[in-house]
Amino acid sequence: MNAIFERTSVRQYTDETLSKEQIEQIVKAGFCAPSAVNAQPWEVIVVTDPKELEELSHFSPYAMCLKEAKLGVVLLANRDHQFGDAYDVMDLSAMSENMLVEARSLGLGDVWLGGYPEQERVEFLKTFFKLPENIVPYWVLSFGHPLHELKPKDKWDPKKVHYNTY
Ligand SMILES: Cc1cc2nc3c(=O)[nH]c(=O)nc-3n(C[C@H](O)[C@H](O)[C@H](O)COP(=O)(O)O)c2cc1C
């Protein structure tokens, strides 16, 4: 699957918007992720409104790219469906990577914008979206058409791979 090898964080986007089909395809890919005991604790907020994306960019000092993004996806865990706090993080991480790779396969660029465990970022998201107590926000993914050619980093390091014994 070339999208995995082509994926790299993209923080600058063109003015071109994403189609409804592209957005649905990305989010659907997220829902295909594995989750512990198949709890599927996830929910998402799909943000496409430019003003809202601009406001959302203030949730973290490292999320300025949301100002240019055409889609933001906020990852949420529903405590009523969770297997455990740590499992929520794993399940939402699996979901996130699926969405990042799917967007790449559609020719789009994206980046994961960290929230949890930075409590002030989590609190910002809770307040911003007026979330009920049982819904916990974790982080945000940013998407758009890449402004520049992608240059994935070469991270392959055979020395870090141990076969049968350390
Ligand atoms: C948990 C997590 C949090 C991240 N948070 C941010 C962030 O807040 N802002 C940002 O610009 N990039 C963020 N990134 C992207 C990383 O900086 C990026 O993945 C890393 O530098 C490797 O580069 P690559 O994605 O191009 O391979 C985050 C990635 C992960 C997995």
Side-chain angles (χ1 to χ4, degrees):
M1 190 182 187
N2 283 338
I4 288 182
F5 295 97
E6 289 169 6
R7 188 214 59 81
T8 185
S9 293
V10 175
R11 302 174 178 86
Q12 288 182 293
Y13 314 105
T14 69
D15 289 337
E16 194 180 343
T17 54
L18 273 61
S19 69
K20 263 190 182 159
E21 291 74 23
Q22 285 174 319
I23 293 170
E24 193 174 285
Q25 181 81 359
I26 292 166
V27 176
K28 268 188 170 171
F31 279 73
C32 292
S35 66
V37 302
N38 196 23
Q40 303 174 45
W42 45 59
E43 296 190 25
V44 295
I45 301 176
V46 174
V47 184
T48 53
D49 176 63
K51 187 170 172 291
E52 197 172 330
L53 284 165
E54 198 283 326
E55 290 167 3
L56 187 57
S57 74
H58 299 289
F59 95 95
S60 150
Y62 310 105
M64 287 300 116
C65 61
L66 283 170
K67 289 182 183 181
E68 280 182 32
K70 296 295 170 273
L71 167 67
V73 177
V74 186
L75 279 286
L76 310 169
N78 186 326
R79 290 251 184 270
D80 299 340
H81 297 287
Q82 71 159 196
F83 184 51
D85 281 0
Y87 288 101
D88 284 350
V89 178
M90 295 181 232
D91 297 346
L92 294 184
S93 296
M95 180 188 218
S96 297
E97 180 68 3
N98 269 18
M99 288 193 270
L100 297 178
V101 171
E102 184 61 21
R104 175 81 291 267
S105 81
L106 298 174
L108 301 169
D110 47 56
V111 60
W112 183 320
L113 302 172
Y116 175 89
E118 307 300 332
Q119 273 314 302
E120 69 281 10
R121 299 184 199 169
V122 171
E123 288 306 320
F124 180 109
L125 294 171
K126 275 186 187 169
T127 308
F128 187 75
F129 291 107
K130 301 185 178 64
L131 298 174
E133 274 303 301
N134 61 326
I135 302 296
V136 183
Y138 277 80
W139 52 77
V140 182
L141 305 178
S142 168
F143 301 88
H145 291 267
L147 185 61
H148 303 293
E149 192 191 329
L150 270 61
K151 294 199 175 80
K153 303 163 185 70
D154 184 6
K155 301 174 197 163
W156 170 236
D157 183 355
K159 288 195 298 300
K160 292 184 179 176
V161 183
H162 312 281
Y163 293 94
N164 299 317
T165 181
Y166 189 81

